[in-house]
Amino acid sequence: DHLRARLLCLRSDPELAAATRAVLDSPDAQIDWMVAHRLVSAGILRREGQKLVVRYPLYARFLNAIL
């Protein structure tokens, strides 16, 4: 249910979904800072220095299969 809630968040906002897909495809992806902030605040992404990465490997596997 927790992952489905995250997915619902992404599906309700195509901009968030596209940014998450970009990060899944390349941690070096450049995304709008406000979108990045929203994804970090939602617990989907986290910052590693200057890069954004999916917060947990489980999230990455799930989102890779769905997005």
Side-chain angles (χ1 to χ4, degrees):
D1 288 335
H2 179 74
L3 289 176
R4 286 187 190 148
R6 296 293 177 244
L7 181 59
L8 182 61
C9 171
L10 294 174
R11 285 195 171 157
S12 69
D13 190 326
E15 187 176 32
L16 294 181
T20 301
R21 178 80 259 163
V23 171
L24 286 165
D25 290 343
S26 170
D28 294 323
Q30 299 295 315
I31 62 174
D32 179 75
W33 71 271
M34 184 58 86
V35 173
H37 175 73
R38 290 174 60 199
L39 289 166
V40 169
S41 295
I44 297 169
L45 301 182
R46 65 182 163 85
R47 295 189 184 279
E48 275 189 5
Q50 296 296 320
K51 295 181 180 182
L52 291 167
V53 295
V54 179
R55 181 169 292 277
Y56 302 110
L58 177 64
Y59 284 15
R61 287 193 309 270
F62 178 76
L63 294 171
N64 257 324
I66 301 294
L67 292 180

XYZ file of all heavy atoms in Angstrom:
534
model
N 0.822 -1.204 0.000
C 0.000 0.000 0.000
C 0.863 1.263 0.000
O 0.489 2.251 -0.605
C -0.923 0.013 1.203
C -2.029 -1.020 1.056
O -2.370 -1.381 -0.083
O -2.553 -1.462 2.087
N 1.986 1.211 0.714
C 2.865 2.377 0.781
C 3.413 2.728 -0.608
O 3.392 3.897 -1.009
C 4.014 2.102 1.756
C 4.980 3.220 1.873
N 4.690 4.379 2.550
C 6.229 3.374 1.382
C 5.719 5.192 2.476
N 6.668 4.603 1.775
N 3.879 1.730 -1.335
C 4.404 1.987 -2.674
C 3.303 2.439 -3.624
O 3.533 3.284 -4.492
C 5.101 0.743 -3.224
C 6.425 0.392 -2.562
C 6.961 -0.919 -3.120
C 7.438 1.496 -2.738
N 2.132 1.904 -3.455
C 1.010 2.345 -4.293
C 0.671 3.809 -4.037
O 0.313 4.537 -4.966
C -0.212 1.475 -4.039
C -0.074 0.123 -4.652
C -1.347 -0.667 -4.544
N -1.065 -2.041 -4.939
C -1.670 -3.076 -4.443
N -2.609 -2.931 -3.540
N -1.352 -4.290 -4.849
N 0.797 4.257 -2.800
C 0.560 5.668 -2.485
C 1.592 6.545 -3.186
O 1.256 7.618 -3.709
C 0.597 5.894 -0.979
N 2.845 6.100 -3.208
C 3.900 6.851 -3.916
C 3.591 6.884 -5.412
O 3.759 7.901 -6.073
C 5.274 6.230 -3.677
C 5.724 6.264 -2.250
C 5.979 7.696 -1.809
N 6.353 7.734 -0.414
C 5.648 8.323 0.532
N 4.528 8.931 0.235
N 6.051 8.330 1.777
N 3.153 5.755 -5.947
C 2.814 5.685 -7.366
C 1.645 6.608 -7.687
O 1.667 7.307 -8.706
C 2.488 4.248 -7.760
C 2.139 4.022 -9.224
C 3.289 4.447 -10.133
C 1.785 2.560 -9.453
N 0.651 6.639 -6.836
C -0.495 7.525 -7.046
C -0.040 8.981 -7.083
O -0.492 9.765 -7.923
C -1.538 7.319 -5.949
C -2.815 8.138 -6.066
C -3.549 7.814 -7.362
C -3.709 7.885 -4.881
N 0.877 9.341 -6.197
C 1.448 10.687 -6.174
C 2.084 11.015 -7.522
O 1.879 12.093 -8.071
C 2.476 10.783 -5.045
S 3.457 12.293 -5.026
N 2.837 10.076 -8.063
C 3.516 10.305 -9.343
C 2.540 10.327 -10.512
O 2.672 11.147 -11.416
C 4.578 9.229 -9.577
C 5.753 9.249 -8.611
C 6.665 8.058 -8.854
C 6.526 10.549 -8.723
N 1.575 9.443 -10.487
C 0.615 9.391 -11.597
C -0.319 10.600 -11.619
O -0.856 10.945 -12.665
C -0.194 8.105 -11.533
C 0.636 6.923 -11.987
C -0.214 5.737 -12.277
N 0.592 4.692 -12.919
C 0.269 3.438 -12.902
N -0.839 3.042 -12.310
N 1.030 2.553 -13.505
N -0.499 11.225 -10.473
C -1.369 12.403 -10.429
C -0.668 13.652 -10.955
O -1.318 14.660 -11.196
C -1.868 12.640 -9.002
O -0.801 13.049 -8.170
N 0.648 13.581 -11.139
C 1.404 14.731 -11.628
C 2.435 14.251 -12.652
O 3.496 13.755 -12.280
C 2.098 15.438 -10.463
C 2.704 16.762 -10.854
O 3.180 16.886 -12.006
O 2.733 17.670 -10.018
N 2.141 14.408 -13.937
C 3.050 13.932 -14.980
C 4.458 14.530 -14.884
O 5.434 13.874 -15.249
C 2.366 14.347 -16.283
C 0.927 14.506 -15.931
C 0.904 14.961 -14.497
N 4.562 15.749 -14.390
C 5.880 16.377 -14.246
C 6.734 15.618 -13.221
O 7.925 15.397 -13.433
C 5.724 17.836 -13.838
C 7.020 18.607 -13.825
C 6.825 20.076 -13.509
O 5.896 20.420 -12.743
O 7.619 20.879 -14.020
N 6.103 15.198 -12.120
C 6.826 14.419 -11.108
C 7.213 13.056 -11.660
O 8.322 12.572 -11.417
C 5.981 14.252 -9.847
C 5.661 15.507 -9.040
C 4.831 15.146 -7.816
C 6.918 16.239 -8.645
N 6.315 12.442 -12.399
C 6.602 11.131 -12.982
C 7.750 11.226 -13.980
O 8.657 10.385 -13.978
C 5.350 10.562 -13.654
N 7.744 12.246 -14.816
C 8.805 12.417 -15.811
C 10.154 12.668 -15.137
O 11.180 12.120 -15.557
C 8.465 13.563 -16.754
N 10.154 13.459 -14.086
C 11.401 13.740 -13.364
C 11.926 12.473 -12.686
O 13.132 12.207 -12.703
C 11.179 14.846 -12.343
N 11.035 11.686 -12.120
C 11.449 10.436 -11.480
C 12.012 9.480 -12.519
O 13.048 8.852 -12.297
C 10.261 9.791 -10.735
O 9.777 10.708 -9.769
C 10.680 8.508 -10.041
N 11.360 9.383 -13.670
C 11.864 8.531 -14.749
C 13.257 8.989 -15.174
O 14.150 8.169 -15.416
C 10.896 8.580 -15.932
C 11.301 7.778 -17.139
C 10.991 6.308 -16.988
N 12.210 5.607 -16.629
C 12.265 4.384 -16.116
N 11.175 3.713 -15.870
N 13.392 3.806 -15.820
N 13.458 10.302 -15.260
C 14.762 10.843 -15.653
C 15.843 10.442 -14.648
O 16.955 10.067 -15.034
C 14.688 12.357 -15.783
N 15.524 10.503 -13.362
C 16.493 10.124 -12.327
C 16.743 8.619 -12.364
O 17.879 8.172 -12.189
C 16.021 10.589 -10.930
C 16.897 10.010 -9.826
C 16.019 12.114 -10.863
N 15.715 7.834 -12.603
C 15.900 6.388 -12.735
C 16.825 6.064 -13.905
O 17.660 5.166 -13.818
C 14.554 5.683 -12.939
C 13.663 5.560 -11.715
C 12.249 5.182 -12.143
C 14.216 4.545 -10.734
N 16.681 6.805 -14.991
C 17.491 6.579 -16.186
C 18.927 7.067 -16.005
O 19.851 6.468 -16.540
C 16.870 7.257 -17.402
C 15.577 6.590 -17.845
O 15.328 5.428 -17.441
O 14.816 7.237 -18.580
N 19.095 8.168 -15.257
C 20.432 8.736 -15.072
C 20.471 9.589 -13.805
O 19.791 10.616 -13.744
C 20.801 9.612 -16.267
O 21.988 10.326 -15.987
N 21.283 9.198 -12.819
C 21.401 10.005 -11.602
C 21.938 11.413 -11.876
O 21.793 12.305 -11.054
C 22.380 9.225 -10.724
C 22.334 7.828 -11.250
C 22.023 7.952 -12.715
N 22.545 11.597 -13.046
C 23.060 12.918 -13.415
C 21.990 13.796 -14.068
O 22.291 14.899 -14.509
C 24.245 12.773 -14.375
C 25.437 12.116 -13.699
O 25.680 12.391 -12.509
O 26.115 11.315 -14.368
N 20.772 13.303 -14.141
C 19.690 14.050 -14.783
C 19.520 15.407 -14.113
O 19.589 15.531 -12.893
C 18.393 13.263 -14.711
N 19.305 16.412 -14.925
C 19.055 17.756 -14.427
C 17.550 17.999 -14.445
O 16.946 17.998 -15.519
C 19.761 18.789 -15.319
C 21.261 18.633 -15.351
C 21.889 18.905 -13.999
O 21.550 19.876 -13.332
N 22.784 18.036 -13.580
N 16.978 18.171 -13.255
C 15.545 18.446 -13.183
C 15.334 19.737 -12.416
O 16.187 20.175 -11.643
C 14.748 17.278 -12.555
C 15.171 17.005 -11.125
C 14.894 16.021 -13.398
C 14.321 15.970 -10.431
N 14.207 20.340 -12.659
C 13.847 21.599 -12.015
C 13.973 21.466 -10.502
O 13.548 20.459 -9.924
C 12.404 21.950 -12.413
C 11.923 23.220 -11.773
O 12.361 24.295 -12.224
O 11.128 23.121 -10.815
N 14.527 22.493 -9.857
C 14.779 22.405 -8.416
C 13.489 22.274 -7.618
O 13.459 21.590 -6.592
C 15.611 23.590 -7.920
C 14.866 24.896 -7.897
C 14.764 25.804 -8.900
C 14.112 25.414 -6.803
N 13.981 26.849 -8.510
C 13.566 26.648 -7.212
C 13.837 24.958 -5.520
C 12.773 27.422 -6.375
C 13.046 25.739 -4.702
C 12.528 26.959 -5.135
N 12.409 22.884 -8.063
C 11.145 22.787 -7.331
C 10.571 21.372 -7.434
O 10.065 20.833 -6.452
C 10.131 23.805 -7.853
C 8.834 23.802 -7.065
S 9.043 24.130 -5.303
C 9.007 25.894 -5.310
N 10.681 20.784 -8.601
C 10.227 19.401 -8.785
C 11.086 18.480 -7.925
O 10.563 17.583 -7.244
C 10.279 18.997 -10.275
C 9.975 17.520 -10.455
C 9.311 19.846 -11.084
N 12.397 18.696 -7.931
C 13.297 17.898 -7.094
C 12.921 18.030 -5.625
O 12.862 17.023 -4.903
C 14.744 18.330 -7.311
N 12.640 19.231 -5.192
C 12.258 19.455 -3.797
C 10.975 18.691 -3.454
O 10.884 18.070 -2.387
C 12.077 20.949 -3.539
C 11.577 21.259 -2.175
N 12.367 21.150 -1.048
C 10.357 21.645 -1.741
C 11.643 21.465 0.012
N 10.423 21.768 -0.383
N 10.015 18.716 -4.348
C 8.753 18.013 -4.109
C 8.975 16.504 -4.007
O 8.385 15.836 -3.156
C 7.751 18.342 -5.214
C 7.250 19.783 -5.144
C 6.377 20.160 -6.303
N 5.185 19.319 -6.385
C 4.463 19.190 -7.488
N 4.799 19.825 -8.599
N 3.403 18.426 -7.495
N 9.842 15.956 -4.857
C 10.113 14.522 -4.826
C 10.907 14.119 -3.589
O 10.672 13.058 -3.015
C 10.840 14.097 -6.105
C 9.973 14.121 -7.365
C 10.830 14.018 -8.613
C 8.922 13.026 -7.325
N 11.819 14.963 -3.167
C 12.566 14.697 -1.931
C 11.618 14.786 -0.737
O 11.625 13.920 0.147
C 13.761 15.664 -1.787
C 14.383 15.574 -0.399
C 14.817 15.368 -2.855
N 10.776 15.804 -0.711
C 9.814 15.967 0.388
C 8.816 14.816 0.453
O 8.390 14.421 1.541
C 9.050 17.281 0.236
O 9.925 18.372 0.374
N 8.477 14.257 -0.691
C 7.539 13.131 -0.736
C 8.209 11.817 -0.344
O 7.537 10.800 -0.180
C 6.937 13.009 -2.136
N 9.539 11.841 -0.214
C 10.255 10.639 0.185
C 10.574 9.693 -0.962
O 10.968 8.558 -0.735
N 10.409 10.165 -2.183
C 10.679 9.325 -3.343
C 12.162 9.382 -3.716
O 12.764 8.371 -4.040
C 9.778 9.737 -4.528
C 8.313 9.492 -4.146
C 10.166 8.990 -5.802
C 7.302 10.090 -5.086
N 12.722 10.578 -3.664
C 14.140 10.765 -3.966
C 14.883 11.266 -2.731
O 14.279 11.732 -1.772
C 14.321 11.792 -5.094
C 13.665 11.511 -6.436
C 14.008 12.636 -7.413
C 14.080 10.171 -6.997
N 16.209 11.177 -2.798
C 17.071 11.782 -1.782
C 18.277 12.368 -2.493
O 18.591 11.995 -3.619
C 17.482 10.778 -0.721
C 18.337 9.644 -1.196
C 18.663 8.671 -0.068
N 19.141 7.419 -0.579
C 20.424 7.179 -0.915
N 21.317 8.123 -0.775
N 20.777 6.021 -1.384
N 18.924 13.290 -1.828
C 20.114 13.915 -2.399
C 21.355 13.167 -1.949
O 21.474 12.786 -0.800
C 20.212 15.367 -1.964
C 19.094 16.212 -2.483
C 19.340 17.695 -2.203
N 18.206 18.477 -2.631
C 17.976 18.855 -3.879
N 18.825 18.517 -4.815
N 16.921 19.554 -4.195
N 22.259 12.978 -2.877
C 23.597 12.455 -2.590
C 24.561 13.453 -3.199
O 24.857 13.384 -4.385
C 23.804 11.069 -3.201
C 23.317 9.944 -2.367
C 23.733 8.583 -2.907
O 24.490 8.499 -3.900
O 23.276 7.594 -2.328
N 25.001 14.392 -2.391
C 25.832 15.475 -2.922
C 25.011 16.302 -3.889
O 23.952 16.799 -3.556
N 25.485 16.388 -5.113
C 24.788 17.167 -6.146
C 23.808 16.321 -6.959
O 23.117 16.840 -7.830
C 25.817 17.798 -7.090
C 26.720 18.796 -6.406
C 25.956 19.998 -5.888
O 25.043 20.495 -6.544
N 26.298 20.456 -4.696
N 23.764 15.025 -6.680
C 22.898 14.129 -7.449
C 21.621 13.803 -6.695
O 21.563 13.884 -5.471
C 23.634 12.824 -7.751
C 24.823 12.985 -8.644
C 25.469 11.660 -8.912
C 26.675 11.851 -9.810
N 27.304 10.584 -10.147
N 20.621 13.405 -7.443
C 19.381 12.886 -6.882
C 19.332 11.399 -7.184
O 19.664 10.972 -8.296
C 18.169 13.569 -7.522
C 17.974 15.027 -7.166
C 16.939 15.645 -8.101
C 17.532 15.174 -5.728
N 18.929 10.615 -6.204
C 18.779 9.172 -6.386
C 17.464 8.742 -5.757
O 16.930 9.417 -4.868
C 19.954 8.373 -5.771
C 21.257 8.684 -6.485
C 20.086 8.634 -4.292
N 16.954 7.633 -6.223
C 15.739 7.085 -5.618
C 16.074 6.676 -4.189
O 17.141 6.112 -3.922
C 15.212 5.896 -6.443
C 13.972 5.306 -5.798
C 14.899 6.348 -7.868
N 15.189 7.004 -3.266
C 15.475 6.835 -1.833
C 15.872 5.410 -1.451
O 16.813 5.220 -0.700
C 14.273 7.277 -0.997
C 14.519 7.145 0.505
C 13.465 7.814 1.316
N 13.475 9.242 1.199
C 14.271 10.064 1.896
N 15.144 9.595 2.727
N 14.178 11.356 1.731
N 15.160 4.426 -1.946
C 15.436 3.038 -1.567
C 15.527 2.165 -2.821
O 14.785 2.394 -3.781
C 14.318 2.481 -0.679
C 14.094 3.262 0.578
C 12.945 4.018 0.748
C 15.039 3.260 1.599
C 12.744 4.746 1.913
C 14.844 3.985 2.762
C 13.691 4.728 2.912
O 13.493 5.453 4.054
N 16.386 1.135 -2.800
C 16.457 0.219 -3.944
C 15.093 -0.414 -4.275
O 14.771 -0.601 -5.449
C 17.467 -0.835 -3.505
C 18.328 -0.132 -2.502
C 17.402 0.829 -1.790
N 14.297 -0.699 -3.259
C 12.968 -1.262 -3.501
C 12.114 -0.293 -4.315
O 11.414 -0.698 -5.254
C 12.267 -1.592 -2.178
C 10.837 -2.116 -2.296
C 10.806 -3.454 -3.033
C 10.203 -2.251 -0.927
N 12.166 1.002 -3.979
C 11.432 2.012 -4.746
C 11.921 2.006 -6.192
O 11.123 2.093 -7.123
C 11.644 3.405 -4.171
C 10.909 3.752 -2.917
C 10.311 2.792 -2.101
C 10.815 5.078 -2.501
C 9.653 3.140 -0.940
C 10.156 5.439 -1.336
C 9.579 4.470 -0.565
O 8.933 4.832 0.583
N 13.236 1.947 -6.376
C 13.800 1.978 -7.733
C 13.300 0.799 -8.559
O 12.892 0.972 -9.707
C 15.319 1.997 -7.670
N 13.321 -0.398 -7.980
C 12.843 -1.580 -8.712
C 11.364 -1.450 -9.059
O 10.947 -1.732 -10.181
C 13.091 -2.843 -7.893
C 14.545 -3.250 -7.851
C 14.745 -4.660 -7.300
N 14.081 -4.912 -6.030
C 14.621 -4.712 -4.838
N 15.852 -4.232 -4.731
N 13.959 -5.000 -3.725
N 10.567 -1.030 -8.077
C 9.131 -0.882 -8.278
C 8.840 0.168 -9.345
O 8.079 -0.078 -10.293
C 8.464 -0.498 -6.954
C 6.991 -0.266 -7.056
C 6.104 -1.321 -7.162
C 6.473 1.029 -7.010
C 4.735 -1.097 -7.240
C 5.115 1.256 -7.080
C 4.238 0.190 -7.202
N 9.459 1.330 -9.227
C 9.184 2.424 -10.165
C 9.721 2.120 -11.566
O 9.107 2.504 -12.547
C 9.752 3.734 -9.620
C 9.067 4.239 -8.351
C 9.828 5.416 -7.752
C 7.610 4.612 -8.612
N 10.856 1.429 -11.660
C 11.369 1.024 -12.967
C 10.389 0.127 -13.688
O 10.233 0.215 -14.903
C 12.708 0.307 -12.815
C 13.868 1.180 -13.186
O 13.790 1.982 -14.105
N 14.943 1.046 -12.452
N 9.729 -0.721 -12.952
C 8.771 -1.651 -13.564
C 7.472 -0.952 -13.963
O 6.804 -1.390 -14.897
C 8.457 -2.784 -12.585
N 7.127 0.136 -13.274
C 5.830 0.780 -13.478
C 5.893 2.013 -14.384
O 5.018 2.205 -15.221
C 5.227 1.199 -12.123
C 5.040 -0.014 -11.207
C 3.941 1.972 -12.284
C 4.028 -1.005 -11.698
N 6.900 2.863 -14.197
C 6.957 4.135 -14.954
C 7.511 3.937 -16.359
O 8.385 3.258 -16.629
C 7.804 5.167 -14.207
C 7.246 5.681 -12.906
C 8.201 6.706 -12.295
C 5.885 6.331 -13.099
